[in-house]
Amino acid sequence: MYHGTEKKRGEKILSEQKMPVSISTDRKQHWLGDGVYFYRERFYAFRWIILMYEERNEKDNEEEELLKKYSILEADIEYNTERIFNLDNPEHCMVFKETERKLKEKGTFSEKLKNMEYTDGVVINVMFKNMKYGDNYDAVEATFPIYDFNIPSSTGSSRIKSLNEYQLCIKNSGIIKEIRDITEFINVKDFRERFIKFEKLKAYSKGQNAANGHYRNSQRSEKYGKRKNFGR
C-alpha cells in the first residue's frame, strides 16, 4: 500500500517506523474519517504529492523539486479481512447508511446538532469513536467514483461510468508493519505524463457531463481534487 507525504514527515515516519494519524480540520477532506490513509495504486500517491506541491507553490511542479519536497512510502499491512469495515460490502454499506440516517434524524431534534454536516468521514468517526466499531474493525476501506465520465465507446454503451479511487483508512496502527521509502524508484517523467493524461481525461469528462447536466462534484475539498493546470 502507498502513502504520499512531505519529505521531513516521511523521514520521521521511516526512523520511527510509525505512521501519525491524520485528523481532519475540514469535514469534507477525509472521506473515511480520522486515521492513516493508504492508496492501493502507486499512481494515486504520486498524484497526491503533485496536487499538494502545486497547492503550496506558485510555480508548476519542477521534476527535480517535487521529490525533494515529497516522498512516496510503501508499507506492509497485515490484517484479517473480517476486521475491515468495507463500504463496498452491501451489508456494511447498509449499516453505514442506517447510522447516517439516524444521526441526521437526531440532528433535526437537537439545537446543538441541527446544523451539523454529516459527511461520510463524520459518520465513520461517530461509528468508531462513539459506537465502539473500533473494537471489531481495524480499518475502513472503500472505492470512490471520483469522476463521472461519458465518453463514447466504440463498442457501444460502456458500463465503465467512472474513474475510481480505492482508499484504506487504518484506525488500528498496529496492523501497519514495515514502512519503506520508494521515492528513488519513481520515474517522475513517466508518472507525470500519466498524471497529465489523467487530468485531461477528467477535464474532458467534466465537459461532457456538464453539457448533459450530470457532473458529480467530489466530496473532498477542491484543493485535493482539482489541479490548477495541465503543465507543460
Side-chain angles (χ1 to χ4, degrees):
M1 302 294 286
Y2 302 101
H3 179 89
T5 187
E6 292 175 300
K7 181 68 73 175
K8 289 184 178 179
R9 184 172 176 268
E11 291 171 352
K12 183 177 181 181
I13 289 170
L14 290 169
S15 64
E16 297 179 354
Q17 284 294 296
K18 182 179 180 181
M19 301 283 291
V21 173
S22 181
I23 299 176
S24 176
T25 56
D26 175 355
R27 290 194 177 100
K28 294 183 180 180
Q29 207 176 97
H30 285 35
W31 292 351
L32 299 176
D34 299 340
V36 181
Y37 279 78
F38 286 95
Y39 295 110
R40 182 164 52 203
E41 292 82 14
R42 189 181 296 187
F43 171 81
Y44 279 122
F46 182 82
R47 177 176 179 263
W48 186 89
I49 66 174
I50 283 186
L51 292 175
M52 292 305 296
Y53 180 96
E54 293 186 356
E55 176 66 24
R56 297 171 182 179
N57 294 272
E58 293 292 331
K59 57 183 179 180
D60 189 14
N61 62 288
E62 299 289 344
E63 291 181 10
E64 65 274 12
E65 289 292 322
L66 180 64
L67 299 186
K68 288 181 181 179
K69 294 178 180 291
Y70 292 91
S71 298
I72 294 179
L73 306 180
E74 180 182 58
D76 294 330
I77 314 295
E78 296 182 5
Y79 60 86
N80 181 340
T81 56
E82 293 183 359
R83 289 189 59 84
I84 303 298
F85 192 80
N86 179 6
L87 287 166
D88 294 330
N89 177 323
E91 294 183 12
H92 290 184
C93 186
M94 286 188 288
V95 169
F96 168 80
K97 296 307 282 186
E98 178 65 11
T99 303
E100 178 186 52
R101 183 190 66 78
K102 288 180 179 179
L103 286 173
K104 290 180 177 179
E105 188 177 77
K106 183 177 180 181
T108 61
F109 298 103
S110 168
E111 192 66 29
K112 181 180 178 181
L113 300 175
K114 71 177 183 179
N115 294 321
M116 182 76 168
E117 185 178 5
Y118 291 103
T119 61
D120 296 342
V122 169
V123 175
I124 290 171
N125 278 343
V126 170
M127 293 175 71
F128 274 77
K129 296 178 180 180
N130 301 89
M131 299 172 64
K132 307 300 182 183
Y133 271 67
D135 292 346
N136 298 314
Y137 298 101
D138 295 320
V140 182
E141 66 179 356
T143 303
F144 295 98
I146 55 175
Y147 300 111
D148 286 344
F149 49 71
N150 182 28
I151 299 175
S153 169
S154 60
T155 58
S157 180
S158 174
R159 295 180 64 86
I160 309 302
K161 301 295 186 182
S162 62
L163 203 53
N164 300 319
E165 177 183 290
Y166 170 89
Q167 290 187 19
L168 176 70
C169 178
I170 294 176
K171 311 294 184 177
N172 172 16
S173 58
I175 68 174
I176 304 173
K177 303 303 179 182
E178 183 183 352
I179 306 168
R180 300 172 293 277
D181 188 340
I182 62 167
T183 309
E184 65 177 300
F185 301 111
I186 298 296
N187 184 322
V188 177
K189 184 178 180 180
D190 178 55
F191 270 86
R192 190 167 176 275
E193 287 176 357
R194 293 188 224 171
F195 174 78
I196 292 171
K197 289 179 181 178
F198 178 98
E199 292 296 310
K200 286 182 176 178
L201 174 62
K202 180 191 71 175
Y204 175 74
S205 304
K206 180 178 179 179
Q208 291 291 304
N209 285 302
N212 296 329
H214 182 63
Y215 180 66
R216 177 182 299 169
N217 289 319
S218 169
Q219 183 188 15
R220 182 173 288 185
S221 57
E222 267 195 357
K223 71 176 183 178
Y224 291 99
K226 182 177 181 181
R227 190 177 182 232
K228 295 176 182 177
N229 53 61
F230 292 148
R232 298 183 295 276

